[in-house]
Amino acid sequence: MSLWNDDDDVRTDELLRSGRPAPGDEPLAGVLGGIRALLDEPAPPPTPALSTLLRDGLPTGSPTPASAHPPRWRRVLRWGTGLGVTGKILLGASVAAAGVTGAAAIPGVPDAVQVPVRDALSDLGHLLSGPETPVPAPPATSAPGTSASGDGDSPPGPDSPSVPPRATPAVPEGDDERPATPPADPQRPSDVPTGRPTQVPVGPPSDLPTPSAKDQGDHRATPGGNAPGAGSSGQEADAPSPGGEDEPG
Amino acid sequence: MRSAGMGLRTRGSGMLGRVLDDFDAVLARARTGAGEAFTLLYEDLARPVSAYVRSQGVPDVEDVTSEVFLAVFTGLERFTGDQAGFRSWVFTIAHHRVTDHWRRAARAAPTTEYDPADDARTAPSAEAGALEAVGTARVVALLGTLTADQREVLALRVLADLTIEQVAGVVGRSEGAVKALQRRALATLRRALETEAAPL
């Protein structure tokens, strides 16, 4: 900034802050004094709502717009503590099963973890489903090598792709039971029984407080008090225009 | 409402409102919802805020001023800073309330040009003596020759007693832009005064 501008800024600042005009600025100082005299007019009476607030204050512990509703985790916790013993046990078992099976289903988990978990879950499946009943072998038409599209009636020739070894007829398709031995490709997540996480009945998102942008913005403050952009007033209307090219024509 | 005397002292110039002697304690009580602390803060800033709102040509000075303080008092928990920062924060809210007012007014009805003859504030009041040199109506009329941004900056500098940096924070502009707006505002006022003084 040039020296002239610096001098002009100092002169302007002095005029605005103290009202002392530089030579030739007396009429302008008079106008600024008139603006400053607006401070001498009494403040308007507060509205009834503000009067009540000034008289009674805010009740201690009253919910403010930001704390009117507890956070979601606290509501879930409150719901959980309200469950009975059976409900808690079931919820805990469901969460544990979901966690174990979910962890085992992660492809990045090493086989040393996935295989024992899968075995344990398989054993659990056997226990829950009772003794294994013999299943008759499927007909020859569903022999290995049959394509999924059903157009592979002929057995695979020597150039056919290799058959997955786990496609043994002893395991019924669609059954929850899994072979005791790990599949050929233990990395495949689809081979791992995935537990379904228990649905926690939390309130719909619409239950959560959604403070308006106005209140959010108005209350933003930074140390020093400058809070640009506060309030709902769109800054698009106040977009900076360097140079202040908004002087009236 | 208690009197403004306790806990308040005038600023150096005696024109720019008052400052609270123990702002931190008052603010701490206000944060707990104490009405007497609200009253002290209100009495400290009600005049400059209402003067600022009035200088922006808002007709509903009472409503907008009260809106500002309602927002301030219900949002105190989000404020951190000292007394100067608090003043700046309050005027930030006032700035946005004024902007919101004009936005709503623009949607509700077409704007009309300012006519001093329609201004009810031309009626003399007890404070008329302080405005002998430049009457309120003339001040408002002269401010009407400025753009909204120029008027805003000038009011925040003169009425709110904010620094360039604080004004820049309130209006969301750079300090350079605020200086330019301020310079152009004063140049416009000088031209308006010269035009008035020039013989026809």
Side-chain angles (χ1 to χ4, degrees), chain A residues 32-136:
Chain A
L32 295 178
I35 296 173
R36 200 171 283 112
L38 292 175
L39 291 168
D40 295 330
E41 294 194 10
T47 56
L50 182 58
S51 294
T52 303
L53 193 64
L54 294 175
R55 185 182 63 247
D56 302 334
L58 283 172
T60 305
S62 67
T64 58
S67 60
H69 298 278
R72 178 186 291 251
W73 67 268
R74 187 169 295 173
R75 287 193 291 161
V76 172
L77 185 65
R78 189 177 301 166
W79 173 82
T81 55
L83 285 177
V85 175
T86 306
K88 285 177 182 173
I89 291 173
L90 288 176
L91 176 63
S94 300
V95 171
V100 169
T101 55
I106 298 174
V109 175
D111 291 347
V113 175
Q114 284 193 354
V115 172
V117 169
R118 193 174 297 116
D119 291 346
L121 291 175
S122 176
D123 293 342
L124 183 64
H126 284 292
L127 288 174
L128 293 178
S129 61
E132 186 175 355
T133 56
V135 178

Side-chain angles (χ1 to χ4, degrees), chain A residues 9 12-13 15-17 32 35-36 38 235 237-247, chain B residues 16 48 51-53 55-57 88 91-92 94-96 98-99 102 143-189:
Chain A
D9 286 342
T12 300
D13 203 60
L15 180 62
L16 290 174
R17 300 298 292 267
L32 295 178
I35 296 173
R36 200 171 283 112
L38 292 175
Q235 290 298 313
D238 300 328
S241 57
E245 62 275 3
D246 47 0
E247 190 173 9
Chain B
L16 299 176
Y52 162 76
V53 172
S55 72
Q56 302 305 300
S88 179
F91 276 98
T92 301
H95 161 69
H96 289 292
V98 168
T99 305
W102 287 120
L143 287 174
T145 64
L146 306 177
T147 67
D149 293 330
Q150 293 170 354
R151 190 165 54 240
E152 176 94 42
V153 167
L154 203 60
L156 289 171
R157 292 281 282 142
V158 175
L159 297 174
D161 196 25
L162 300 182
T163 64
I164 290 281
E165 181 185 6
Q166 289 172 325
V167 173
V170 168
V171 301
R173 289 174 180 262
S174 68
E175 294 181 29
V178 170
K179 282 184 182 178
L181 285 167
Q182 174 181 283
R183 197 179 300 129
R184 289 167 187 267
L186 295 179
T188 302
L189 288 178

